[in-house]
Amino acid sequence: MSCSLFLCLSVSSKMTAAHILLVLLALLQLTCGQYEHLGYPPGYPEPEQEQYTPPQLAPDTPRIQLRLAGDKRKHNEGRVEVFYNGEWGTVCDDDFNIHSAQVVCRELGYLEAVSWSPSSKYGKGEGPIWFDNLHCTGKEKTLALCPSNGIGVSDCKHSEDVGVVCSDRRIPGFKFVNTLPNHVENMDIQVEDVRIRAILSSYRKRIPVTEGYVEVKDGGKWKQICSSDWTELNSRVICGMFGFPGERKYNARVYKMFARRRKPSYWDFSVNCTGTEAHLSSCKLGQVTSVKSNGTCSGGLPVVVSCVPGRAFAPTPMTGFRKAFRQEVKKQKGQPLVRLRGGAIVGEGRVEVLKNGEWGTICDDNWNLLSATVVCRELGFGTAKEALSGGRLGQGMGPVHMNEVQCSGFEKSITECYFNKESLGCSHEEDAAVRCNVPAMGFQERLRLSGGRNPYEGRVEVLVERNGSLVWGTVCSEGWGTMEAMVVCRQLGLGFASSAFQETWYWPGEVSADGVVMSGVRCSGTEMSLSHCLHHGDHLTCNKGGGRNAAGVSCSETAPDLVLNPQVVEQTTYMEDRPMFMLQCAYEENCLSSTSSQAPANSYRRLLRFSSQIHNNGQSDFRPKAGRHSWVWHDCHRHYHSMEVFTVYDLFSLNGTKVAEGHKASFCLEDSECDEGIEKVYECANFGEQGITVGCWDTYRHDIDCQWIDITELKPGDYIFQIVINPNYEVPESDYTNNIMKCRCRYDGHREKKSLTFPGLLNNQVTHR
């Protein structure tokens, strides 16, 4: 981030102006120093980066090489290791700071440092501690130029080994310079970028690209890799980086013909991967490539990989951008053992495993990229780009099935990995999650938000083909809601929807894109692209028109997640016969069955009562959609409703016919209780704010009006008791699949509590329908 100053002065004295200028420049420098670390918000163009130039080092500068090692949770982080004098060693955390981290990351080819970690966060290293008491300014070309005690002079232990986290982005034009040619095979691969470039015309038209040359960008130029030392393990890593779980053989004869026609430009090194790496930068450099005088390498061909897409992704011709993501996936043999929950996009979420018919989570102790990659490949994605800990993608429910997971990297399922069966005591605050590499489908280029105050909001504009050319246009807002907004935010990689708008007059978009190009959009909420939702196609129908009435969204990186505690429902359920004259307020709020309108005042209604305890296990507070200015006052009960329908209670026959119903308005949405260490925020007394804080729950007691189902006309028999939270999707959540609880119950027509039994709770358990 750069700071600049435009100054206009009107003064009589040159000396005065000079003094003022000096003061302002000093203030500007302080301001820049204070805010420079914040960078630019996502979506805004970054300032032009300087092109990399190889460092010119004095002859007496010690020659070192760096790498990031240890228990990683991202490929661009790890313990700082230094190769010097023929041996790998570490760096002590004494006096280490963000400036030192900056030197490390830039020497490794990353644009900048994000953070650093003391006390061997990534595990203890081995060998000498080469640097101690480093005092870098951040501008040094190599860590060896930073003032220190001297190379190899240290009083530290390996429990003080330092680690860094570097940015995802690489330095434009970065070129790996090997200063230690005799030990090149020990170095991690450092290049500017990597790609699979489709060569055959049949693959160039497909999305995603699954086959082609492996090319690395080094020194600003794309180069091929010689195939002489290439192995299937290398191909496995490359395919994983680009979102594919595996590799396959290809027709080498066709590529030989192509290589003869066009002279390749080879990279200087071969590649040496073990097959378990999550990213090419974790592989080691192989031997120096021997290029013949005619431009060929000893193997004679550039490396080609052919990757197998996961079961949900199918390459299709690019023409017309036909549906490239198969939402309806063929069922696997038997029940899947692993699933992801709570993620904003496909390929990310909290890891849940199935054991003894019940879904549970994995504790984050020892959770790393290796184990996360096993999960990703098992689910049909590529390698993991991040192993998340600390319930970062929301907390699960039920048991914690696995702890201290250790994988070799070649397991077919995370359930095959070793884990500590004796280690118990993990809470859901330690739930592990993953972000997987998924194939580039090109969906993000077909959609944009326009006119918003920031990149996370705006009018929705889509790119469609009209009369042989691509044009931008708006989406009809009739019926536009939360589920449609969720798909837009996912497609753009902006997280979850926070609001869906049916008017966008306050967001002036591109005038040329005012026309409606998509109408009748209906989404289930799981689609990867808006074009995958049901819509009218070419036959547009939109009474409201586009422009100021077009659909809009605002997105958020986090979302709440409401989960009902099924055990509380089971433990508190009972029946009560209550006279009609005592149910007048409930009648006015439509909490009784429709037949109650003809019931005399002295008659009784039979009510199935129960308590409900609703937890917020998400990443942000649950707030009602309506602001307090539009809450509805109910005079009979003397309270405000912030959501007219917050939960729905129903009884179904075993064949699925609804036989009794109820609903609960959120008249007092508040923090009844919270987990240890979390303070209550929402209290609806005295017209206070309503909501549920992350880590808290709202309890509706069984003795509150409308906390029931009217079963007066219900006949004895077996039924399905169902509770649905946030049934109209008024408030966006990270996971709607856990908003439903189902119980099978039996009613014998009597009032005694034993007449209603629960043979099995189906919440968070496998339901066989």
Short mmCIF file of all heavy atoms in Angstrom, two decimals, residues 476-480 501-503 516 541-550:
data_model
loop_
_atom_site.label_atom_id
_atom_site.label_comp_id
_atom_site.label_asym_id
_atom_site.label_seq_id
_atom_site.Cartn_x
_atom_site.Cartn_y
_atom_site.Cartn_z
N CYS A 476 -34.27 -10.17 -12.66
CA CYS A 476 -35.59 -9.76 -12.18
C CYS A 476 -35.71 -10.09 -10.70
O CYS A 476 -35.37 -11.20 -10.27
CB CYS A 476 -36.68 -10.48 -12.98
SG CYS A 476 -38.36 -9.96 -12.56
N SER A 477 -36.21 -9.14 -9.93
CA SER A 477 -36.24 -9.32 -8.47
C SER A 477 -37.53 -9.95 -7.96
O SER A 477 -37.66 -10.14 -6.75
CB SER A 477 -36.04 -7.96 -7.79
OG SER A 477 -37.10 -7.08 -8.11
N GLU A 478 -38.46 -10.29 -8.83
CA GLU A 478 -39.70 -10.94 -8.39
C GLU A 478 -39.38 -12.32 -7.82
O GLU A 478 -38.82 -13.17 -8.50
CB GLU A 478 -40.69 -11.05 -9.55
CG GLU A 478 -41.21 -9.70 -10.01
CD GLU A 478 -42.05 -9.79 -11.28
OE1 GLU A 478 -42.27 -10.91 -11.76
OE2 GLU A 478 -42.46 -8.74 -11.79
N GLY A 479 -39.71 -12.52 -6.55
CA GLY A 479 -39.42 -13.79 -5.88
C GLY A 479 -37.98 -13.93 -5.41
O GLY A 479 -37.59 -14.97 -4.89
N TRP A 480 -37.19 -12.89 -5.57
CA TRP A 480 -35.77 -12.94 -5.16
C TRP A 480 -35.66 -12.98 -3.64
O TRP A 480 -36.26 -12.18 -2.94
CB TRP A 480 -35.06 -11.70 -5.70
CG TRP A 480 -33.58 -11.67 -5.48
CD1 TRP A 480 -32.90 -10.98 -4.52
CD2 TRP A 480 -32.58 -12.32 -6.26
NE1 TRP A 480 -31.55 -11.16 -4.64
CE2 TRP A 480 -31.32 -11.99 -5.70
CE3 TRP A 480 -32.62 -13.17 -7.37
CZ2 TRP A 480 -30.12 -12.46 -6.23
CZ3 TRP A 480 -31.42 -13.65 -7.88
CH2 TRP A 480 -30.19 -13.29 -7.32
N PHE A 501 -32.05 -8.20 -1.78
CA PHE A 501 -32.81 -6.96 -2.03
C PHE A 501 -33.62 -7.08 -3.32
O PHE A 501 -33.12 -7.58 -4.32
CB PHE A 501 -31.84 -5.77 -2.15
CG PHE A 501 -31.00 -5.56 -0.93
CD1 PHE A 501 -29.71 -6.08 -0.85
CD2 PHE A 501 -31.49 -4.85 0.16
CE1 PHE A 501 -28.92 -5.89 0.26
CE2 PHE A 501 -30.71 -4.67 1.30
CZ PHE A 501 -29.43 -5.18 1.35
N GLN A 502 -34.87 -6.61 -3.26
CA GLN A 502 -35.74 -6.60 -4.43
C GLN A 502 -35.82 -5.22 -5.07
O GLN A 502 -36.50 -5.05 -6.08
CB GLN A 502 -37.13 -7.11 -4.06
CG GLN A 502 -37.14 -8.56 -3.65
CD GLN A 502 -38.53 -9.13 -3.53
OE1 GLN A 502 -39.52 -8.41 -3.61
NE2 GLN A 502 -38.62 -10.44 -3.34
N GLU A 503 -35.16 -4.25 -4.47
CA GLU A 503 -35.02 -2.92 -5.07
C GLU A 503 -33.58 -2.47 -4.90
O GLU A 503 -32.98 -2.68 -3.84
CB GLU A 503 -35.95 -1.91 -4.39
CG GLU A 503 -37.42 -2.09 -4.71
CD GLU A 503 -38.26 -1.00 -4.08
OE1 GLU A 503 -37.71 -0.16 -3.35
OE2 GLU A 503 -39.48 -0.96 -4.33
N VAL A 516 -33.14 -6.49 -18.17
CA VAL A 516 -33.27 -7.79 -17.52
C VAL A 516 -32.84 -8.90 -18.48
O VAL A 516 -33.33 -8.97 -19.61
CB VAL A 516 -34.72 -8.04 -17.06
CG1 VAL A 516 -34.88 -9.46 -16.51
CG2 VAL A 516 -35.12 -7.02 -16.00
N THR A 541 -39.80 -13.02 -18.30
CA THR A 541 -41.04 -12.42 -17.80
C THR A 541 -40.72 -11.66 -16.53
O THR A 541 -40.31 -12.25 -15.54
CB THR A 541 -42.09 -13.51 -17.48
OG1 THR A 541 -42.31 -14.29 -18.64
CG2 THR A 541 -43.41 -12.87 -17.04
N CYS A 542 -40.90 -10.33 -16.58
CA CYS A 542 -40.59 -9.51 -15.41
C CYS A 542 -41.42 -8.24 -15.43
O CYS A 542 -41.13 -7.31 -16.19
CB CYS A 542 -39.09 -9.17 -15.38
SG CYS A 542 -38.59 -8.33 -13.86
N ASN A 543 -42.48 -8.20 -14.61
CA ASN A 543 -43.36 -7.04 -14.57
C ASN A 543 -42.66 -5.81 -13.99
O ASN A 543 -42.93 -4.68 -14.39
CB ASN A 543 -44.62 -7.35 -13.76
CG ASN A 543 -45.46 -8.44 -14.41
OD1 ASN A 543 -45.51 -8.54 -15.63
ND2 ASN A 543 -46.07 -9.29 -13.59
N LYS A 544 -41.75 -6.06 -13.05
CA LYS A 544 -41.10 -4.93 -12.37
C LYS A 544 -40.00 -4.30 -13.21
O LYS A 544 -39.65 -3.14 -13.03
CB LYS A 544 -40.51 -5.39 -11.03
CG LYS A 544 -41.54 -5.94 -10.06
CD LYS A 544 -40.90 -6.51 -8.80
CE LYS A 544 -40.35 -5.42 -7.91
NZ LYS A 544 -39.86 -5.94 -6.63
N GLY A 545 -39.44 -5.08 -14.14
CA GLY A 545 -38.34 -4.55 -14.95
C GLY A 545 -37.03 -4.55 -14.19
O GLY A 545 -36.95 -4.93 -13.02
N GLY A 546 -35.97 -4.10 -14.88
CA GLY A 546 -34.64 -4.08 -14.25
C GLY A 546 -34.35 -2.72 -13.66
O GLY A 546 -35.19 -2.12 -13.00
N GLY A 547 -33.12 -2.23 -13.92
CA GLY A 547 -32.75 -0.91 -13.40
C GLY A 547 -32.86 -0.82 -11.91
O GLY A 547 -32.29 -1.63 -11.17
N ARG A 548 -33.66 0.11 -11.42
CA ARG A 548 -33.80 0.34 -9.99
C ARG A 548 -34.54 -0.79 -9.28
O ARG A 548 -34.48 -0.91 -8.07
CB ARG A 548 -34.51 1.67 -9.74
CG ARG A 548 -35.92 1.74 -10.33
CD ARG A 548 -36.51 3.14 -10.22
NE ARG A 548 -36.79 3.50 -8.85
CZ ARG A 548 -36.48 4.68 -8.30
NH1 ARG A 548 -35.84 5.58 -9.00
NH2 ARG A 548 -36.79 4.96 -7.06
N ASN A 549 -35.26 -1.62 -10.03
CA ASN A 549 -36.00 -2.73 -9.42
C ASN A 549 -35.28 -4.07 -9.58
O ASN A 549 -35.87 -5.12 -9.33
CB ASN A 549 -37.39 -2.83 -10.04
CG ASN A 549 -38.28 -1.65 -9.68
OD1 ASN A 549 -38.31 -1.25 -8.52
ND2 ASN A 549 -38.97 -1.10 -10.66
N ALA A 550 -34.03 -4.03 -10.00
CA ALA A 550 -33.30 -5.27 -10.19
C ALA A 550 -32.90 -5.90 -8.86
O ALA A 550 -32.89 -5.24 -7.82
CB ALA A 550 -32.05 -5.01 -11.04
#
